């Protein structure tokens, strides 16, 4: 039984690390600001979740794991706020995203 | 005002869980003092924007929303991962568009915009009265949002009135 829990926790930790590394690679491989933010949000969400899940499985269900769950919860609540503030300020200061469709077509569909 | 009691109960539980010392009277007194201070400050902030009755009702219906948003996060994570690791086969198609919002109340609109940002691949750039400006990494993600599944679910959390 202990072996199964260990294996599960290690799988979660490795998956979480993989997601974190992918987020970092995405930040470097995407070309402009707005798409880089998307790569960072992979690290924000599932990477954190899987690493915390792995740590909870390691620690067993104690008060510490409750604190870890709270940490995930707080990160998921506050992460979007930080991302939104960053993107909004970039947009308002006039950084235009590089889009795949033309401006005219976007304007026809009601883009501001 | 129910919001105040909800805040006090929630903060007390939060403090007890984080502290772990449940017997020492001095530490408990300090905790009570900090809960009182935090509640007072929160009520001062909220004085201008009256916290309408929607909040409690939405809090009670959250359990229907979180499992769905979790599966949505996993799905969009996978699609963004594909774009990161195989940019040749899955090219990104960035798109920005103004969407109508279904949720009406302030708190529901906040929840909706936050959910959009939380799912990788989409970011809410700017929120106006009933509209939200969304940037999406993939056109499919934008089409999913336009389909309005998420808006409908957040709208359902609000209840009827």
């Amino acid at each position: 039984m202990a072996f199964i829990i260990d294996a599960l926790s290690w799988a979660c930790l490795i998956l979480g690390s993989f997601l974190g590394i992918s987020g970092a690679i995405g930040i470097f491989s995407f070309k402009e600001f707005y798409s880089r933010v998307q790569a960072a949000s992979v690290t924000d969400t599932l990477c954190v979740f899987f690493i915390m899940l792995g740590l909870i499985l390691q620690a067993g269900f104690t008060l510490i794991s409750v604190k870890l769950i709270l940490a995930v919860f707080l990160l998921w609540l506050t992460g979007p706020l930080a991302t939104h503030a960053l993107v909004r300020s970039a947009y308002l200061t006039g950084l235009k995203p590089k889009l795949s469709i033309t401006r005219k077509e976007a304007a026809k569909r009601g883009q501001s | 005002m129910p919001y105040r009691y909800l805040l006090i109960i929630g903060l007390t539980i939060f403090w007890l869980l984080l502290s772990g010392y449940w017997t020492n009277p001095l530490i408990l007194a300090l905790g009570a003092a900090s809960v009182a201070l935090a509640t007072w400050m929160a009520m001062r902030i909220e004085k201008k924007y009256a916290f309408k009755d929607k909040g409690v009702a939405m809090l009670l219906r959250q359990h229907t929303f979180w499992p769905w948003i979790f599966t949505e996060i996993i799905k969009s994570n996978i699609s963004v991962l594909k774009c990161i690791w195989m940019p040749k086969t899955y090219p990104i198609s960035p798109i920005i568009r103004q969407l109508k919002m279904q949720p009406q109340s302030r708190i529901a609109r906040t929840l909706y915009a936050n959910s959009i940002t939380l799912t990788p691949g989409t970011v809410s750039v700017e929120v106006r009265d009933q509209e939200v400006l969304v940037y999406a990494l993939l056109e499919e993600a934008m089409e999913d949002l336009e389909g309005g599944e998420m808006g409908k679910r957040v709208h359902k959390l609000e209840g009827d009135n």
Side-chain angles (χ1 to χ4, degrees), chain A residues 12-93:
Chain A
C12 282
L13 284 175
I14 289 170
L15 190 58
S17 324
F18 168 74
L19 287 168
I21 291 170
S22 330
I25 287 177
I27 286 177
F28 283 104
S29 70
F30 285 153
K31 289 295 179 291
E32 49 115 28
F33 171 76
Y34 291 92
S35 35
R36 286 179 174 175
V37 168
Q38 312 291 345
S41 79
V42 170
T43 319
D44 259 6
T45 52
L46 271 195
C47 165
V48 173
F49 174 77
F50 276 118
I51 285 183
M52 291 298 184
L53 190 63
L55 290 179
I56 287 168
L57 287 174
Q58 282 284 333
F61 199 79
T62 54
L63 204 60
I64 294 172
S65 52
V66 174
K67 286 177 194 172
L68 287 173
I69 292 170
L70 278 176
V72 175
F73 193 65
L74 285 179
L75 270 175
W76 279 24
L77 282 183
T78 53
L81 286 181
T83 312
H84 175 71
L86 200 65
V87 169
R88 183 183 151 95
S89 60
Y91 188 78
L92 289 184
T93 45

Side-chain angles (χ1 to χ4, degrees), chain A residues 81, chain B residues 101 103 105-116 127 154:
Chain A
L81 286 181
Chain B
M101 268 198 283
S105 60
R106 241 162 33 105
I107 187 160
R109 280 186 289 157
T110 312
L111 182 67
Y112 182 55
N114 263 1
S115 314
I116 289 174
V127 181
V154 176

